[in-house]
Amino acid sequence: MIRLSSVIEQFEADFLNHYQSQLLPSQKKALQTLKICRTKHSPMMQVHCTACEHQAFVPHSCGHRSCPHCQHHESQQWIERQLQKQVPGQYFMITFTLPRQLRPLAWQQQRLVYRLMFECVWETLQTFSQNDKKLKGEPGVIAVLHTHSRALDYHPHIHAVMPAGAVDKLNRLWRTKPGQYLFNHKALAKVFRAKLLTRLTRENLSLPKAIPQQWVVDCKQVGSGAKALVYLGRYLYRGVMREKDILSCKDGQVTYRYQNSKTKRWETKTVSGADFLWRVLQHVLPKGFRRARNFGFLHPNSKPLIQILQWLFKLDFKQLTGKLKQRPQLICSCCGAAMTIGRTRIPAIEALNLTWAAT
């Protein structure tokens, strides 16, 4: 498997020569962090065997949320937290896409435009839920921002996972909407467009003249919602692609594969090394910006309400979370027993000196 760190090491100079002026501070930091992830230059941690006297130094993962090699455990934890909030009813995934004409503006004002997208998605779904004859209440939404297409192009959109249920706090009622239909996707797109353009205008941003009238919103049923949450969690902490999808790195070019969202077939794309790094790093968000947000009765402040609903409808979230993979343990190369972590964040040169001293 080709590591992203090795691609960065090979093409970093060429990449900076072409794209340095376009990089955000967060993207520059990501470049340097991903470059040394689990390499000989990264900090080390000292591990001890629980059964014998063997000890070793293991490179630290970089822990960056855009690293495809790290954050597996954090991703699993996020998925588990969302599954713990499961409520009765069918779930739907609603995808709100920013049109191509507004993407240059989103790139220039990322923190602002992404925030407004989240707010307008929530306001749109809240309005539809409150006006729906069968729901008539406050919905719950798990929203995740993606800035990439499967081919790693810049393509900002928000996935919103929403149960077909709502809480009527005034009358203390829980209502659900049966069937495979939630809201009209064209009506969602129309309201989302109006809300977002109004908010962008209030911020005194210069909007392009040719903004399309028809925007794209997709609304589809996803059963219990578990598979949709696993899909979203996969890209939440682990970057925009898997390292095993990097097929080759030679002759100044990188070939990677991706699944076409329409045909569901795997396709390949070959670009220069510098362009490949740009396709990956352009999706690093501004520092501190939260890619995933919860709204309505799925907000973290609503835990008591979720627990009441689960108790009333006899839901056991442990049946779902029990299938999640456990965090893998370090295994001793001598006896096969589990190893425990002693010291962490040891400078690489110090770890090397300790290894020499032990031998």
Side-chain angles (χ1 to χ4, degrees):
M1 184 172 65
I2 300 174
R3 296 282 304 276
L4 181 58
S5 57
S6 65
V7 179
I8 294 175
E9 185 176 6
Q10 184 173 349
F11 297 109
E12 180 183 15
D14 191 29
F15 168 71
L16 292 175
N17 185 46
H18 285 83
Y19 292 103
Q20 177 138 19
S21 61
Q22 302 180 49
L23 289 176
L24 298 175
S26 58
Q27 294 162 348
K28 292 179 181 179
K29 183 177 180 180
L31 178 68
Q32 297 306 316
T33 303
L34 301 179
K35 179 182 176 181
I36 64 170
C37 178
R38 302 193 192 196
T39 67
K40 61 181 181 181
H41 303 293
S42 64
M44 299 285 179
M45 58 182 176
Q46 191 174 27
V47 293
H48 305 269
C49 180
T50 56
C52 66
E53 298 182 352
H54 179 68
Q55 66 176 10
F57 291 93
V58 180
H60 262 293
S61 62
C62 66
H64 197 281
R65 61 178 176 174
S66 296
C67 180
H69 202 67
C70 302
Q71 303 287 329
H72 291 238
H73 183 59
E74 286 71 13
S75 177
Q76 291 290 99
Q77 286 183 318
W78 181 85
I79 295 170
E80 183 172 342
R81 287 196 301 270
Q82 307 314 312
L83 291 178
Q84 288 174 0
K85 301 176 184 179
Q86 187 190 30
V87 295
Q90 292 293 320
Y91 276 69
F92 289 79
M93 179 183 281
I94 310 163
T95 305
F96 295 80
T97 302
L98 195 69
R100 174 178 52 82
Q101 291 80 355
L102 286 175
R103 291 172 196 169
L105 176 63
W107 174 255
Q108 296 166 7
Q109 301 285 342
Q110 292 186 38
R111 192 180 296 272
L112 173 60
V113 174
Y114 296 160
R115 175 176 62 82
L116 293 180
M117 286 178 66
F118 271 115
E119 292 174 1
C120 292
V121 164
W122 164 239
E123 290 173 7
T124 299
L125 294 175
Q126 186 181 39
T127 299
F128 273 73
S129 180
Q130 291 173 344
N131 293 336
D132 189 276
K133 294 180 179 180
K134 294 184 179 179
L135 294 178
K136 298 180 184 177
E138 182 91 342
V141 175
I142 302 168
V144 177
L145 169 69
H146 284 176
T147 61
H148 62 283
S149 68
R150 296 185 182 229
L152 303 184
D153 297 313
Y154 185 61
H155 185 263
H157 57 282
I158 288 180
H159 292 294
V161 177
M162 173 182 172
V167 175
D168 183 346
K169 293 183 179 179
L170 182 61
N171 297 305
R172 307 182 76 177
L173 293 173
W174 166 256
R175 299 189 183 97
T176 58
K177 186 174 182 178
Q180 299 183 354
Y181 174 84
L182 184 60
F183 304 132
N184 182 282
H185 66 97
K186 292 184 178 180
L188 285 169
K190 186 176 180 180
V191 174
F192 175 63
R193 177 186 186 277
K195 287 182 177 294
L196 185 57
L197 291 180
T198 299
R199 299 292 294 276
L200 291 173
T201 303
R202 288 178 186 171
E203 296 292 339
N204 296 319
L205 296 177
S206 179
L207 301 180
K209 295 181 180 179
I211 299 178
Q213 291 293 322
Q214 307 253 336
W215 289 21
V216 177
V217 172
D218 178 64
C219 182
K220 63 181 179 181
Q221 187 189 43
V222 289
S224 67
K227 290 184 178 180
L229 292 171
V230 170
Y231 166 76
L232 296 180
R234 184 185 306 160
Y235 297 102
L236 188 58
Y237 290 99
R238 293 159 55 185
V240 295
M241 73 174 306
R242 303 171 299 180
E243 286 182 316
K244 67 180 183 180
D245 290 331
I246 305 175
L247 302 181
S248 69
C249 179
K250 60 183 180 180
D251 300 326
Q253 294 184 316
V254 175
T255 300
Y256 64 96
R257 67 175 181 175
Y258 63 94
Q259 189 178 43
N260 187 301
S261 58
K262 294 182 179 179
T263 64
K264 304 302 180 183
R265 294 181 179 178
W266 287 95
E267 300 179 1
T268 62
K269 185 181 287 286
T270 300
V271 296
S272 69
D275 288 344
F276 173 77
L277 292 180
W278 174 246
R279 285 175 174 266
V280 172
L281 291 169
Q282 68 176 327
H283 304 296
V284 175
L285 296 179
K287 182 180 179 181
F289 191 89
R290 291 185 294 118
R291 188 188 297 275
R293 307 187 183 193
N294 294 55
F295 300 95
F297 66 76
L298 291 178
H299 190 275
N301 292 339
S302 300
K303 286 183 180 179
L305 174 60
I306 297 295
Q307 292 171 353
I308 291 173
L309 289 172
Q310 291 176 339
W311 178 76
L312 286 173
F313 293 97
K314 296 180 174 56
L315 293 177
D316 184 9
F317 69 84
K318 293 182 179 179
Q319 293 181 353
L320 291 171
T321 58
K323 298 179 181 180
L324 295 176
K325 296 180 181 179
Q326 298 297 317
R327 190 169 193 170
Q329 285 187 320
L330 291 171
I331 302 300
C332 178
S333 59
C334 295
C335 65
M339 302 191 78
T340 59
I341 299 174
R343 294 176 59 194
T344 60
R345 295 293 168 187
I346 305 172
I349 186 64
E350 180 182 343
L352 184 61
N353 291 334
L354 290 172
T355 303
W356 286 343
T359 56

